[in-house]
């Protein structure tokens, strides 16, 4: 059964072996090669620093269009993942031009996680049948594929490996009186934290273990958590001392530096994560009611089996009921995504295994238990692996040379390299930011500068030309609504009427706001918009096409 689980986990993600480098992978590659070549001054572990510039440097980047005009100069996004960084450096020292070997390396870590999950479930599950079903679910879940198939997400794979090692060592320490576990458990937690900050979520499982599995009085149970809390405190102090902090972003929120902002969004994000974890596969915004219904149905199935099961089974599901919600709390520091749930699946898959075993091992005909098992099997053992294969097979759509990315094909290629490209409207910032690399990947010229005026999924953006060099844009729903546009500006940094932002080619003035977000702006350019130095485009549904600057609307089909 062990090797079945390992091979299944690897095989489901293996279609991604040929996907090459995707999106964020290129930035990490450039950083590592510069560092290995002696051309980078930053410490080697800074490869996960997304925004580490000073306010003055950010203002300069905004002035030259390297970040959007609405970006704050008071934003810092720096993650400390030195252990994950080491594995990437290893790739670029051994096989720098062979991405499929980098993917194979990542799949080996994923296979190790599947094997460790099998070992953990053999110890924690109420029966051998439940352990096997849980391990199988862990290998089949679609929630692991994004992390296993995308090199930039390797940190999530490493985090779950060390989380499983931590829980295995802790369980042996507490139940078998295996003294090395008292050291190896906290050591594995530290390794997980050095792989990625989401490793702190394992504390939720340790608390759940102390509450539902550990024996003894309250004081003794709490005392078992002390070494782990100490490790987290030491890690956090080192993390901050080295300058790896997060503030000023609307996507990543640090509970320590911005507690009120985190608390305001935490309940909604936690509920979305629960739907991702227990519901059928697919994005939250697609068939949302169906996904929520599916998640509720699965959770009711688990609760039903727990309520009608034997005491040992109730303890195991009780452990999951405590551990999973607690583990989700630190995961609400960013927007909900399947890759952040890799660690939480340790608990959900244990619950699924117990539900299936309860139906298979019963000597009586228990219709409700078997219906509950059927729900779990359909959602997480049929639909989920099918989604895994689909995601792994289509991950290469993220490659910059993908035909799905825009290139503004109707523009004059020879002229564009001398022009400032003004994107009046894009449905999201990612699509606009990929235009230049997509053109380069296809052998075309990139614009001299790229400016994005509006990047929201809006169908009612109104654009008026006030004079030869001034546009006025109005979106009643406002700017700064989508996750990628809020990456560089937190809701705690609101705009006010009269605010101005100057760039090399234009000056933005905020005319109206709602809840701190611009709803109407004027954009005054350095010269007339029909000057040959400008190319003005908007999104038409398939690509960016030239548009008259004057009047009308810029629809998002």
């Amino acid at each position: 059964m062990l090797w079945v689980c390992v091979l299944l986990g690897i095989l489901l993600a293996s279609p991604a072996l040929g996907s090459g480098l995707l999106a964020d992978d290129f930035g990490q590659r450039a950083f590592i090669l510069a560092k290995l070549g002696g051309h980078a001054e930053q410490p080697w572990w800074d490869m996960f620093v997304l925004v580490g510039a000073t306010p003055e440097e950010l203002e300069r980047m905004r002035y030259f269009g390297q970040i959007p005009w609405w970006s704050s100069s008071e934003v810092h996004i720096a993650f400390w993942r030195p252990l994950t960084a080491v594995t990437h450096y290893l790739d670029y020292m051994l096989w720098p031009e062979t991405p499929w070997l980098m993917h194979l390396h990542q799949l080996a870590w994923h296979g190790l996680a599947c094997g460790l999950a099998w070992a953990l479930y053999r110890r924690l599950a109420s029966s051998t049948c439940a352990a096997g079903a849980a391990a199988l679910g862990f290998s089949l879940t679609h929630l692991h594929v994004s992390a296993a198939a995308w090199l930039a997400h390797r940190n999530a794979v490493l985090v779950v490996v060390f989380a499983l090692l931590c829980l295995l060592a802790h369980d042996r320490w507490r139940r078998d009186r295996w003294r090395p576990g008292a050291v190896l458990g906290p050591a594995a937690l530290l390794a997980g934290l050095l792989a990625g900050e989401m490793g702190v979520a394992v504390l939720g499982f340790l608390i759940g273990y102390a509450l539902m599995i550990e024996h003894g009085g309250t004081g003794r149970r709490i005392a078992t958590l002390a070494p782990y809390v100490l490790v987290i405190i030491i890690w956090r102090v080192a993390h901050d001392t080295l300058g790896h902090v997060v503030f000023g972003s609307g996507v990543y929120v640090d509970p320590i530096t911005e507690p009120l902002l985190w608390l305001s969004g935490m309940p909604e994000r936690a509920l979305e994560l629960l739907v991702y974890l227990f519901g059928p596969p697919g994005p939250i915004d697609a068939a949302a009611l169906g996904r929520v219904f599916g998640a509720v149905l699965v959770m009711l199935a688990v609760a039903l089996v727990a309520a009608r099961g034997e005491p040992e089974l109730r303890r195991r599901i009780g452990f999951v009921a405590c551990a999973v919600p607690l583990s989700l709390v630190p995961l609400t520091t960013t927007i909900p995504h399947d890759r952040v749930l890799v660690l939480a699946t340790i608990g959900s898959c244990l619950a699924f295994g117990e539900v299936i075993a309860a139906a298979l091992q019963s000597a009586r005909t228990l219709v409700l238990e078997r219906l509950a098992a059927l729900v779990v099997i359909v959602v997480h053992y049929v639909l989920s692996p099918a989604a895994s294969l689909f995601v792994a097979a289509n991950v290469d759509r993220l490659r910059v040379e993908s035909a799905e990315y825009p290139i503004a094909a109707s523009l004059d290629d020879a002229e564009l390299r001398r022009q400032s490209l003004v994107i009046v409207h894009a449905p999201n910032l990612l699509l606009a930011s990929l235009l230049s690399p997509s053109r380069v990947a296809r052998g075309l010229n990139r614009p001299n500068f790229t400016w994005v005026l509006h990047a929201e999924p809006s169908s009612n953006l109104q654009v008026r030309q006030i004079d030869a060099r001034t546009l006025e844009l109005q979106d009643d729903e406002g700017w700064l609504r989508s996750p990628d546009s809020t990456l560089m500006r937190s809701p705690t940094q609101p705009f006010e009427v009269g605010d101005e932002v100057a760039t090399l080619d234009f000056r933005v003035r905020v005319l109206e706001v709602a809840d701190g977000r611009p709803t109407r702006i004027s954009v005054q350019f350095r010269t007339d918009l029909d000057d040959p130095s400008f190319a003005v485009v908007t999104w038409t549904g398939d690509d960016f096409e030239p548009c008259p600057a004057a009047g009308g609307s810029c629809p998002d089909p």
Side-chain angles (χ1 to χ4, degrees):
M1 188 65 179
L2 167 62
W3 291 107
V4 170
C5 293
V6 170
L7 291 175
L8 270 178
I10 292 175
L11 285 173
L12 284 176
S14 63
L17 280 171
S19 60
L21 302 181
L22 313 169
D24 297 353
D25 297 338
F26 288 97
Q28 293 181 0
R29 172 186 170 84
F31 181 92
I32 293 173
L33 292 180
K35 192 65 184 175
L36 292 176
H39 307 303
E41 297 180 359
Q42 304 100 310
W44 61 268
W45 55 78
D46 272 5
M47 67 173 287
F48 293 101
V49 175
L50 304 185
V51 183
T54 65
E56 294 75 21
E57 290 169 335
L58 285 171
E59 288 179 5
R60 179 176 175 80
M61 292 169 67
R62 186 173 60 195
Y63 183 79
F64 287 104
Q66 294 171 281
I67 56 177
W69 68 263
W70 56 80
S71 301
S72 168
S73 60
E74 300 290 337
V75 60
H76 194 87
I77 308 172
F79 301 113
W80 190 40
R81 302 165 180 170
L83 196 55
T84 299
V86 167
T87 69
H88 286 288
Y89 277 91
L90 183 65
D91 283 338
Y92 283 97
M93 287 189 290
L94 296 179
W95 35 73
E97 304 302 328
T98 316
W100 75 266
L101 284 175
M102 301 180 188
H103 282 283
L104 187 63
H105 175 193
Q106 190 143 318
L107 288 180
W109 282 104
H110 178 54
L112 177 59
C114 293
L116 290 171
W118 174 86
L120 180 66
Y121 293 140
R122 292 273 293 181
R123 296 187 61 85
L124 291 187
S126 63
S127 66
T128 302
C129 179
L136 192 61
F138 188 90
S139 298
L140 293 176
T141 179
H142 67 285
L143 295 173
H144 293 174
V145 175
S146 175
W150 192 348
L151 297 176
H153 292 174
R154 182 178 293 174
N155 64 94
V157 182
L158 267 65
V159 163
V160 77
V161 165
F162 291 110
L164 289 162
L165 285 171
C166 174
L167 293 172
L168 277 165
H170 183 77
D171 184 58
R172 288 196 63 188
W173 171 39
R174 301 313 304 158
R175 287 205 290 173
D176 299 347
R177 298 295 182 261
W178 187 59
R179 291 185 177 180
V183 175
L184 294 177
L189 171 61
L190 178 59
L193 292 169
L194 295 177
E197 60 288 341
M198 73 175 70
V200 74
V202 78
L203 185 61
F205 285 89
L206 294 167
I207 294 173
Y209 189 99
L211 293 174
M212 301 304 300
I213 299 178
E214 180 72 43
H215 295 286
T218 303
R220 178 178 177 177
R221 295 176 186 230
I222 294 174
T224 64
L225 301 174
Y228 301 99
V229 174
L230 180 61
V231 164
I232 292 172
I233 292 173
I234 293 172
W235 162 78
R236 180 67 202 218
V237 170
H239 180 281
D240 291 5
T241 302
L242 291 171
H244 292 83
V245 294
V246 174
F247 59 81
S249 172
V251 173
Y252 299 105
V253 184
D254 190 326
I256 304 299
T257 58
E258 296 178 298
L260 295 180
L261 179 61
W262 171 65
L263 286 172
S264 67
M266 190 263 285
E268 181 180 351
R269 287 179 170 184
L271 287 174
E272 286 191 39
L273 288 171
L274 277 174
V275 173
Y276 268 121
L277 187 61
F278 287 96
I284 291 291
D285 57 357
L289 288 178
R291 294 211 65 213
V292 171
F293 177 75
V296 170
L297 203 59
V298 170
M299 286 188 279
L300 285 176
V302 173
L304 171 70
V305 170
R308 293 164 58 94
E310 299 296 325
E312 194 62 26
L313 183 149
R314 288 201 298 270
R315 284 183 65 202
R316 272 25 187 194
I317 294 183
F319 162 68
V320 172
C322 291
V324 166
L326 289 172
S327 71
L328 294 183
V329 171
L331 303 181
T332 59
T333 55
T334 187
I335 56 175
H337 192 279
D338 53 6
R339 65 183 168 85
V340 305
L341 284 169
V342 175
L343 197 152
T345 59
I346 296 172
S348 61
C349 291
L350 175 59
F352 302 153
E354 295 289 357
V355 170
I356 293 171
L360 293 178
Q361 293 184 309
S362 174
R364 297 173 294 160
T365 303
L366 303 175
V367 176
L368 290 178
E369 278 82 347
R370 291 178 182 177
L371 284 175
L374 180 62
V375 168
V376 168
I377 290 170
V378 169
V379 173
H380 291 282
Y381 292 76
V382 177
L383 296 179
S384 190
S388 295
L389 286 171
F390 176 82
V391 172
N394 288 276
V395 71
D396 61 350
R397 292 166 63 186
L398 295 171
R399 298 174 69 172
V400 292
E401 60 267 35
S402 169
E404 296 190 11
Y405 288 140
I407 57 171
S410 58
L411 297 180
D412 187 304
D413 185 55
E415 291 293 326
L416 189 60
R417 65 188 179 89
R418 295 186 290 269
Q419 292 178 314
S420 291
L421 181 65
V422 179
I423 299 176
V424 176
H425 164 69
N428 58 70
L429 187 60
L430 177 64
L431 206 63
S433 63
L434 286 173
L435 189 149
S436 287
S438 294
R439 289 183 62 87
V440 171
R442 300 184 206 183
L444 301 172
N445 289 315
R446 67 168 69 233
N448 192 22
F449 292 96
T450 300
W451 307 103
V452 182
L453 303 185
H454 180 269
E456 303 291 345
S458 176
S459 59
N460 59 355
L461 175 68
Q462 298 298 316
V463 182
R464 292 194 305 131
Q465 184 164 5
I466 305 304
D467 56 42
R469 62 176 60 184
T470 306
L471 293 179
E472 185 176 290
L473 281 67
Q474 180 168 345
D475 180 353
D476 293 336
E477 295 179 88
W479 277 251
L480 297 167
R481 287 183 284 115
S482 56
D484 55 354
S485 67
T486 60
L487 175 68
M488 296 294 290
R489 194 177 195 96
S490 164
T492 60
Q493 300 170 318
F495 278 99
E496 296 180 356
V497 172
D499 283 349
E500 293 189 355
V501 177
T503 72
L504 179 67
D505 275 334
F506 59 84
R507 177 180 293 272
V508 173
R509 181 179 176 84
V510 177
L511 304 177
E512 295 179 6
V513 300
D515 298 324
R517 295 180 291 107
T519 56
R520 187 164 67 95
I521 64 171
S522 68
V523 187
Q524 185 176 44
F525 291 83
R526 58 174 169 77
T527 188
D528 292 355
L529 276 163
D530 58 5
D531 188 270
S533 64
F534 287 124
V536 183
V537 299
T538 191
W539 181 248
T540 60
D542 297 313
D543 200 357
F544 291 104
E545 300 289 349
C547 70
S553 63
C554 293
D556 176 17

